[in-house]
Amino acid sequence: MEKVVGGGFLKLMDGKILATLFYEPSTRTRMSFESAFLRLGGKVVSGADMAGASSARKGESLYDTGRVVSEFADLIVVRHPEVGSVAEVAKGARERVASRACVVINAGDGVGDHPTQALLDVYTIWKERGGKLDGLIVGMIGDLKNGRVPHSQCELLKHWDIEFVFVSPKALAMPWNVKDDLTAVGRKFFETEDLGSVVGGLDVICATRIQAERFKSAKEAGKYKGIYVINALMMKKAKKSALLLHPLPRVDEITVDVDRDPRAKYFDQVRNGLCLRMALMAEVMGK
Ligand code: NCD
């Protein structure tokens, strides 16, 4: 897929249609899925503003939407602000009485999960580290309570012998269900509010933004504005071999002067995500 992204198209999804149903803002994830499917040779129907411009406005259930869209598309990618919403669309899509099942992929369900982002993050680490993940110390920084990306990253990374360092304000700590899942498979984690004191020990630094849209008010979210800023000075403390990841969009977590630091991998992640999603969609479509 890396080669195809360099400038070609495949015919793997010839005759197939992907529908994207996005009930929350997105730039990367939707365009990444859509261009990945186009590169695979398929066609795309795009629901970029499902919250504002779909029959959801008329009160249609997610189940019904899934059932209906499964008649149009072979594959559905959904993003929605509520946990469990994508599973609801999938329930409807599975009811389709036809020779082929309609596949549904989660592109982010509220504070729940964002599995393909975590997959592309793991792929990026795997690529940069020559396939070796065992023994790494991975730091996750920011709004670990509301960030679905760190939740999904833990879900995947727990399969390697990795130690976790969670950096967040106490009120935005990693939820217990995620930490319990790590403990259950014997993974260790350490929690702190102070990035400066731990950054030098991290092999991978996963920055994320404060998820302002999940707070009761802008004022409440504003309390945490600028709480962790990774600038050139902070990167001086980090290991020479460290990797700096961010799912993007960034607000103020990483200053632009860090972009030229060879350890900054957030724009590489975007390209890796495209290839990863091509591979994933080919796989789930049985190709
Ligand atoms: C993330 C998301 O939507 O959860 N963005 C993305 O998909 N690259 C991260 C975020 O919005 O903070």
Side-chain angles (χ1 to χ4, degrees), residues 245-256:
L245 307 189
H246 193 304
L248 304 177
R250 69 173 149 187
V251 183
D252 51 16
E253 308 80 48
I254 302 177
T255 55
V256 286

Side-chain angles (χ1 to χ4, degrees), residues 24-26 28-29 79 107-108 110 114 117 147-149 208-211 213-214 246-249 277:
E24 264 193 346
S26 168
R28 265 154 301 278
T29 306
R79 167 172 290 185
H114 191 351
Q117 178 67 46
R148 54 195 171 202
V149 173
T208 51
R209 72 184 170 91
I210 300 298
Q211 307 281 301
E213 68 274 34
R214 311 283 181 219
H246 193 304
L248 304 177
R277 290 186 174 110

Side-chain angles (χ1 to χ4, degrees), residues 7 10 14 20 48 93 130 133 137 145 151 173 177 189-190 199 202 206 214 223 253 260:
L10 296 174
D14 208 12
T20 53
L133 276 85
I137 300 180
K145 177 181 174 218
H151 303 166
N177 63 315
F189 62 85
F190 173 75
V199 72
L202 304 177
C206 301
R214 311 283 181 219
K223 281 192 206 163
E253 308 80 48
R260 265 178 278 127

Side-chain angles (χ1 to χ4, degrees), residues 137-149:
I137 300 180
V138 176
M140 294 175 194
I141 298 125
D143 182 354
L144 305 182
K145 177 181 174 218
N146 298 304
R148 54 195 171 202
V149 173

